[in-house]
C-alpha cells in the first residue's frame, strides 16, 4: 500500500491506495514519520483529533509522553487496554478533564462523565432501562421509524440528492426520541434536540489547555453564548418533556423516560429532576449521534466498494425477500452486522477514550502517576497492523472469517470496554442493523460527483459537516 499526501495550507490529507485492485482503502488523515512540536499538535487537535498521530502511534503497544505538566499514556494492545480499563478501573474510571469540561454543561453529572459513587449508583438505575433484554420491546418503534425514512426517500425519486449524514441524524434522533420520550413526544421534539446537539459540538472546546498546565479543576472555563444557547434549547425541551410525561404517556409502551421516572435507588428514592434530565441527555447523545455517524459512514463505504455492496444486497434479498425485517431477523443477517462492525472499526464514533489517574498506578510495568492522562484510542488500535491484517482496508468479511487476523475483545472497543462499557451497546447495534437492512434493501446511495470525504473528529467522528449522495431505488 502506498500513501500520498496532498498539502493545502496547514491541512494534510492522505489518499491511500491499496496494492490489490479489489481492496478499497477509505480515507484517513496524513500520518507523520517525524512528529511536529507540541504546540502544533494542540492546534491540529482543536480542529481534528485524528490529525495528530504518527506512523509509530498505530504500531505501538504502550507509549508515554509529557504534555506540559501532564503525563500522557497511550494503550494500544489488548493486554494493556485490559489492564487500564478492567483491572485498574477503580483508579482509572474518571474521564479526562477535557471530556468532563466539554460535556458537563450539557450532560451535568450524567453517566457518561460521572465517576465513583455517583457513577456506580446511577449505573445501577440506568443500565437496566436500556439493557439488551429490553431492545426487543423497542424494535417495533425502530422499524416503524426506519420505514418512514424509507417512504421519504421513495418519494424523492431516482437520482435525488440527499445529505446522508443529516438524514441518518434525523432518523436516529426520531428513534431515540420515540423510545426515550414516547411516540408523540419524539415526533414533536426530535428536530429541536438534534439541532441543539449539532450546534453544541460545533462550538465546544476540543482541548482543555488549563488542565494540561495543571491549573485547578475548579477554575471556570469560559462558555460563550454559542455554547449556552444550544444547552438552554436542549434543557428546555427535556424539562418540558419530563414535566408533561405523565399526561402524554401511552399505556403499555416501553419508554426510557418512563423508566427513569419510575426508577428507585437502593434506598427506594427516585432520581432527582436534574438527574433525570442529565441521564436523558446522555442516552440521547449516545443513542443518536454515534449511530447516525456509523450509518453515514456505512453508506459512504458501501458506495465505494462494489463487492461489499453486492454481498449485502444478496443477503438482504435472500433472507428478507422484499419484506421488512423484524427483531427476530437480526441474527439471520450476519453480513449486515459485519458491515456495521467493520464501519465501527474503521470509523469509531468516539475515537479517543481518555481517563485521568485518580491515584498512582502502573500499566504494563510502567509507573503511571496520579493525574496522568491514560488513553485508549480506538482510531489507533483498530488500525494497528500487529492486530489486524490489511488494517486500512474496508473488509466486512474479516468479522465472519474465523481465520482472519483480529484481536480479542480488548482490541476492538467501539463501545469502550470494562465496567464503563456502553450500556446501550445492544440498542445501538440493533438500531444500526435494522436501519441498514430496511434502507439498503430498497436503495443504493452513490457519492455525489466531486465530493471529498475526510474523517473529522471533534466530540465524535464524522465524515465532515455533510455527506452529499444521490438516491437510486433498486427496484422499479
Amino acid at each position: 500500500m502506498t500513501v500520498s499526501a496532498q498539502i493545502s495550507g496547514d491541512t494534510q490529507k492522505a489518499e491511500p491506495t491499496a496494492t490489490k485492485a479489489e481492496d478499497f482503502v477509505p480515507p484517513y488523515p496524513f500520518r507523520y514519520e517525524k512528529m511536529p512540536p507540541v504546540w502544533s499538535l494542540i492546534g491540529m487537535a482543536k480542529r481534528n483529533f485524528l490529525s495528530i498521530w504518527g506512523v509509530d502511534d498505530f504500531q505501538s503497544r504502550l507509549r508515554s509522553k509529557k504534555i506540559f505538566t501532564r503525563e500522557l499514556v497511550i494503550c494500544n494492545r489488548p493486554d494493556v487496554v485490559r489492564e487500564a480499563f478492567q483491572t485498574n478501573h477503580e483508579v482509572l474510571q474518571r474521564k479526562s478533564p477535557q471530556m468532563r469540561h466539554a460535556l458537563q454543561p450539557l450532560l451535568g453529572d450524567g453517566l457518561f462523565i460521572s465517576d465513583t459513587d455517583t457513577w456506580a449508583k446511577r449505573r445501577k438505575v440506568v443500565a437496566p432501562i436500556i439493557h439488551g433484554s429490553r431492545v426487543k420491546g423497542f424494535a417495533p418503534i425502530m422499524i416503524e421509524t426506519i420505514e418512514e425514512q424509507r417512504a421519504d426517500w421513495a418519494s424523492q425519486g431516482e437520482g435525488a440528492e440527499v445529505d446522508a449524514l443529516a438524514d441518518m441524524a434525523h432518523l436516529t434522533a426520531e428513534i431515540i426520541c420515540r423510545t426515550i420520550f414516547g411516540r408523540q413526544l419524539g415526533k414533536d421534539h426530535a428536530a429541536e434536540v438534534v439541532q441543539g446537539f449539532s450546534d453544541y459540538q460545533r462550538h465546544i472546546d476540543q482541548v482543555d489547555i488549563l488542565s494540561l498546565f495543571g491549573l485547578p479543576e475548579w477554575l471556570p472555563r469560559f462558555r460563550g453564548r454559542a455554547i449556552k444557547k444550544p444547552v438552554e434549547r436542549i434543557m428546555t425541551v427535556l424539562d418540558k418533556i419530563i414535566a408533561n410525561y405523565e399526561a402524554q404517556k401511552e399505556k403499555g409502551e416501553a419508554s426510557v423516560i418512563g423508566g427513569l421516572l419510575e426508577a428507585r435507588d437502593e434506598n427506594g428514592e427516585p432520581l432527582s429532576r436534574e438527574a433525570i434530565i442529565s441521564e436523558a441527555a446522555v442516552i440521547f447523545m449516545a443513542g443518536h449521534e454515534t449511530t447516525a455517524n456509523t450509518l453515514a459512514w456505512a453508506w459512504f463505504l458501501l458506495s465505494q466498494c462494489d463487492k461489499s455492496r453486492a454481498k449485502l444486497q444478496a443477503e438482504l434479498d435472500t433472507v428478507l425477500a422484499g419484506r421488512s425485517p423484524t427483531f427476530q431477523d437480526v441474527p439471520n443477517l450476519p453480513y449486515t452486522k459485519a458491515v456495521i462492525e467493520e464501519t465501527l472499526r474503521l470509523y469509531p464514533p468516539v475515537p479517543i477514550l481518555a481517563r485521568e489517574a485518580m491515584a498512582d498506578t502502573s500499566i504494563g510495568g510502567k509507573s503511571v502517576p496520579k493525574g496522568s492522562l491514560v488513553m485508549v484510542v480506538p482510531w489507533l488500535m483498530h488500525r494497528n497492523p500487529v492486530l489486524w491484517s490489511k488494517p486500512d482496508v474496508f473488509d466486512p468479511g474479516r468479522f465472519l472469517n474465523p481465520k482472519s487476523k483480529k484481536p480479542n475483545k480488548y482490541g476492538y472497543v467501539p463501545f469502550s470496554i470494562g465496567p464503563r462499557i456502553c450500556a446501550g451497546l445492544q440498542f445501538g447495534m440493533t438500531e444500526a442493523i435494522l436501519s441498514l437492512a430496511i434502507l439498503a434493501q430498497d436503495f443504493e446511495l452513490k457519492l455525489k460527483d466531486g465530493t471529498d470525504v475526510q474523517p473529522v473528529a471533534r466530540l465524535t467522528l464524522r465524515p465532515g459537516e455533510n455527506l452529499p449522495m444521490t438516491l437510486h431505488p433498486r427496484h422499479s
Side-chain angles (χ1 to χ4, degrees):
M1 185 178 74
T2 61
V3 178
S4 61
Q6 289 184 340
I7 302 177
S8 175
D10 63 353
T11 301
Q12 302 186 40
K13 297 184 296 185
E15 294 187 340
T17 306
T19 53
K20 291 187 177 181
E22 68 269 20
D23 288 340
F24 168 52
V25 180
Y28 56 79
F30 179 82
R31 295 169 183 171
Y32 295 94
E33 295 282 353
K34 181 179 180 181
M35 297 303 292
V38 169
W39 276 113
S40 296
L41 292 174
I42 289 175
M44 285 185 273
K46 282 178 170 286
R47 295 186 294 273
N48 184 3
F49 272 125
L50 305 184
S51 63
I52 65 174
W53 306 107
V55 173
D56 290 344
D57 292 317
F58 288 85
Q59 302 175 13
S60 66
R61 172 176 174 267
L62 185 67
R63 307 196 84 186
S64 64
K65 58 185 74 175
K66 195 86 167 181
I67 307 290
F68 305 130
T69 67
R70 292 270 187 173
E71 185 77 13
L72 175 63
V73 180
I74 300 173
C75 304
N76 199 37
R77 297 280 177 83
D79 62 326
V80 287
V81 169
R82 180 175 184 173
E83 190 173 355
F85 279 13
Q86 185 77 49
T87 307
N88 279 335
H89 166 72
E90 289 300 320
V91 174
L92 294 174
Q93 63 177 287
R94 178 164 291 167
K95 296 295 181 77
S96 68
Q98 185 278 329
M99 187 62 76
R100 295 200 310 273
H101 288 293
L103 291 174
Q104 189 277 331
L106 191 60
L107 305 183
D109 64 352
L111 198 61
F112 191 80
I113 55 175
S114 62
D115 51 58
T116 59
D117 288 345
T118 299
W119 175 83
K121 291 177 180 177
R122 206 71 65 75
R123 177 93 177 187
K124 288 180 181 178
V125 171
V126 175
I129 295 171
I130 52 175
H131 188 265
S133 62
R134 299 195 61 178
V135 172
K136 182 178 180 180
F138 292 137
I141 302 174
M142 294 180 182
I143 293 165
E144 176 188 67
T145 312
I146 301 162
E147 288 175 338
E148 290 176 15
Q149 180 65 56
R150 180 178 63 187
D152 179 68
W153 278 1
S155 71
Q156 297 188 44
E158 169 71 32
E161 184 177 332
V162 297
D163 179 350
L165 179 60
D167 279 3
M168 293 303 96
H170 184 265
L171 170 62
T172 58
E174 281 290 344
I175 290 172
I176 207 70
C177 275
R178 294 181 194 188
T179 50
I180 291 177
F181 307 140
R183 293 176 192 265
Q184 284 303 125
L185 295 170
K187 287 184 177 180
D188 291 343
H189 295 297
E192 182 78 4
V193 182
V194 167
Q195 191 58 50
F197 272 108
S198 183
D199 291 345
Y200 186 86
Q201 182 166 192
R202 189 179 303 116
H203 293 107
I204 194 65
D205 290 335
Q206 301 303 305
V207 178
D208 188 54
I209 297 291
L210 298 183
S211 68
L212 292 178
F213 279 110
L215 294 174
E217 189 79 11
W218 51 259
L219 202 65
R221 271 61 174 175
F222 173 75
R223 305 290 184 216
R225 184 63 183 158
I227 296 299
K228 294 177 181 177
K229 187 175 180 180
V231 171
E232 292 170 0
R233 187 176 183 179
I234 293 166
M235 292 303 122
T236 298
V237 171
L238 292 179
D239 193 55
K240 186 186 302 181
I241 288 169
I242 293 167
N244 295 334
Y245 175 78
E246 290 297 335
Q248 299 187 42
K249 182 171 67 171
E250 296 179 34
K251 291 183 178 180
E253 182 175 326
S255 171
V256 173
I257 278 291
L260 288 174
L261 287 167
E262 295 155 13
R264 297 293 184 270
D265 63 20
E266 64 266 25
N267 299 319
E269 296 295 321
L271 294 179
S272 68
R273 173 60 62 88
E274 291 75 17
I276 292 170
I277 292 176
S278 293
E279 298 309 338
V282 168
I283 295 167
F284 189 95
M285 185 194 74
H288 143 62
E289 172 76 12
T290 55
T291 310
N293 292 352
T294 300
L295 286 168
W297 277 117
W299 287 118
F300 165 71
L301 293 167
L302 291 167
S303 76
Q304 304 299 298
C305 186
D306 294 343
K307 178 176 66 174
S308 297
R309 186 173 66 253
K311 286 183 178 180
L312 173 68
Q313 291 171 347
E315 176 176 271
L316 297 176
D317 292 347
T318 301
V319 176
L320 301 178
R323 64 176 174 83
S324 282
T326 65
F327 178 76
Q328 286 71 25
D329 288 308
V330 171
N332 301 320
L333 298 170
Y335 195 81
T336 309
K337 180 184 179 183
V339 169
I340 298 300
E341 289 175 319
E342 178 72 340
T343 302
L344 287 165
R345 183 186 72 83
L346 287 169
Y347 298 108
V350 182
I352 298 177
L353 307 170
R355 307 281 177 85
E356 180 182 14
M358 300 168 65
D360 292 346
T361 187
S362 64
I363 299 173
K366 174 180 173 51
S367 175
V368 178
K370 179 181 178 180
S372 298
L373 298 180
V374 177
M375 288 186 176
V376 172
V377 185
W379 174 257
L380 298 179
M381 191 163 61
H382 290 182
R383 294 169 181 261
N384 187 329
V386 177
L387 303 177
W388 308 86
S389 60
K390 297 183 180 179
D392 291 316
V393 171
F394 174 60
D395 176 20
R398 75 174 77 235
F399 285 94
L400 301 176
N401 182 358
K403 296 181 180 180
S404 180
K405 181 182 179 182
K406 49 187 177 288
N408 64 32
K409 67 179 182 179
Y410 291 97
Y412 177 70
V413 292
F415 297 95
S416 191
I417 198 73
R420 297 203 70 141
I421 193 170
C422 175
L425 185 159
Q426 194 61 45
F427 183 106
M429 282 299 297
T430 302
E431 176 187 23
I433 292 167
L434 288 172
S435 295
L436 192 60
I438 292 171
L439 296 174
Q441 187 176 208
D442 285 1
F443 299 96
E444 284 186 14
L445 270 64
K446 296 180 181 180
L447 191 66
K448 183 182 178 182
D449 289 344
T451 301
D452 178 33
V453 176
Q454 295 293 333
V456 177
R458 290 179 65 78
L459 292 179
T460 59
L461 199 168
R462 291 179 161 199
E465 290 296 317
N466 50 51
L467 185 59
M469 305 190 81
T470 54
L471 285 173
H472 303 275
R474 291 187 59 219
H475 313 287
S476 301

